C-alpha cells in the first residue's frame, strides 16, 4: 500500500506494530482506547471499532500516545513486575497473619511482626497443629523468594537509573528517587509531546479530579 495514516488503539502489542508500520513509510498514531470508545456509534464489533478508530484519528483535538522503544517497554515491564511482587509480598504476609491468628499467635504491625511470627512457628508453638505449621512454612518459603526477587528488581532499577542522564537529573528534584525517576523516563517517551510542564504534571495526576457542571466547580482528590 502507498504511505497512509494508520490509527491504532494503544493496547496490547500496539507499540510492537507501530515501529513496523513506520518503517514501511506509514504515519502511525496511537490513541488511548477510552478516547476512541465515544466514537463507536452502535454495538461493539470489528467494523464499528474500525470506523470509530478512523473517525477518532482525524480529530484535531485528539490526544495521541507516543510510541515506546523496546528499551522503554523493558523498563516499564521491570517496574510492573516489581509492583506485582510487592503486592504478592503483602498478600503472603497478610495470609500468614490471618492463618496464625486462628490459632492464637499474633504480632505487631509491620515486617518485624511477621518475622516474629515465623520465628515462633519455626521454634514449634504448641498452639499451632503440625499440618497448619507446614502450610505456614510453605507460605514463608514463598515470602522469602519474593523478597529476594524484589531486591534484585531494585538493583536492576538502580543500575538503569545511574546509566540514564535524564533519570539522574530527575532524581535531583526533592522527593524523587531512582524508582520514580526511572519510571517517569520509561512512561514518557517524548516530553515534547506535552505543550507545557503544567500539562505533563496534569497527565501524571498532580491535579484534583473534577466533577464540575453548571458553573459550579467541584474538585476532588488528586487523580
Amino acid at each position: 500500500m502507498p504511505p497512509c495514516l494508520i490509527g491504532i488503539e494503544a493496547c496490547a502489542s500496539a507499540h510492537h506494530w507501530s515501529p513496523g508500520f513506520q518503517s514501511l513509510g506509514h504515519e502511525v498514531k496511537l490513541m488511548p482506547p477510552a478516547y476512541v470508545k465515544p466514537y463507536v456509534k452502535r454495538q461493539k464489533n470489528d467494523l464499528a471499532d474500525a470506523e470509530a478508530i478512523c473517525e477518532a484519528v482525524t480529530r484535531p483535538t485528539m490526544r495521541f500516545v507516543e510510541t515506546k522503544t523496546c528499551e522503554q517497554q523493558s523498563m516499564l515491564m521491570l517496574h510492573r513486575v516489581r509492583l506485582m511482587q510487592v503486592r504478592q509480598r503483602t498478600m503472603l504476609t497478610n495470609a500468614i497473619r490471618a492463618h496464625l491468628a486462628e490459632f492464637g499467635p499474633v504480632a505487631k504491625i509491620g515486617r518485624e511482626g511477621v518475622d516474629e511470627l515465623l520465628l515462633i512457628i519455626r521454634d514449634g508453638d504448641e498452639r499451632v497443629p503440625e499440618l497448619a505449621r507446614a502450610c505456614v512454612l510453605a507460605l514463608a518459603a514463598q515470602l522469602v523468594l519474593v523478597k529476594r526477587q524484589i531486591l534484585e528488581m531494585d538493583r536492576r532499577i538502580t543500575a538503569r537509573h545511574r546509566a540514564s542522564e535524564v533519570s539522574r537529573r530527575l532524581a535531583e528534584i526533592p522527593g524523587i528517587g531512582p524508582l520514580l525517576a526511572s519510571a517517569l523516563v520509561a512512561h514518557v517517551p517524548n516530553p515534547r509531546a506535552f505543550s507545557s510542564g503544567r500539562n505533563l504534571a496534569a497527565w501524571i495526576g498532580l491535579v484534583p479530579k473534577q466533577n464540575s457542571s453548571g458553573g459550579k466547580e467541584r474538585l476532588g482528590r488528586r487523580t
Side-chain angles (χ1 to χ4, degrees), residues 56-64:
V57 75
T58 58
R59 294 300 90 199
T61 58
M62 177 57 61
R63 296 179 180 178
F64 300 102

Side-chain angles (χ1 to χ4, degrees), residues 87-97 114 138-144 146:
R87 291 172 178 169
Q88 290 177 345
R89 180 182 63 187
T90 303
M91 180 182 65
L92 289 169
T93 55
N94 290 340
I96 292 173
R97 286 179 176 277
V114 177
L139 293 176
Q142 294 184 20
L143 181 60
V144 171
V146 169

Side-chain angles (χ1 to χ4, degrees), residues 96-97 100 105-107 113-122:
I96 292 173
R97 286 179 176 277
L100 290 180
V106 293
V114 177
D115 294 337
E116 292 176 1
L117 284 176
L118 295 178
L119 183 60
I120 293 174
I121 296 302
R122 291 190 177 97

Side-chain angles (χ1 to χ4, degrees), residues 51-116:
E51 182 182 1
I53 292 173
C54 290
E55 180 69 21
V57 75
T58 58
R59 294 300 90 199
T61 58
M62 177 57 61
R63 296 179 180 178
F64 300 102
V65 177
E66 292 292 326
T67 301
K68 294 181 176 62
T69 64
C70 291
E71 181 69 20
Q72 289 171 324
Q73 288 179 283
S74 299
M75 194 63 189
L76 279 177
M77 184 176 180
L78 178 61
H79 279 274
R80 288 167 179 164
V81 170
R82 181 189 178 277
L83 180 60
M84 180 184 67
Q85 292 172 339
V86 169
R87 291 172 178 169
Q88 290 177 345
R89 180 182 63 187
T90 303
M91 180 182 65
L92 289 169
T93 55
N94 290 340
I96 292 173
R97 286 179 176 277
H99 288 312
L100 290 180
E102 295 293 333
F103 300 99
V106 293
K108 60 184 179 182
I109 298 176
R111 299 178 186 177
E112 295 181 357
V114 177
D115 294 337
E116 292 176 1

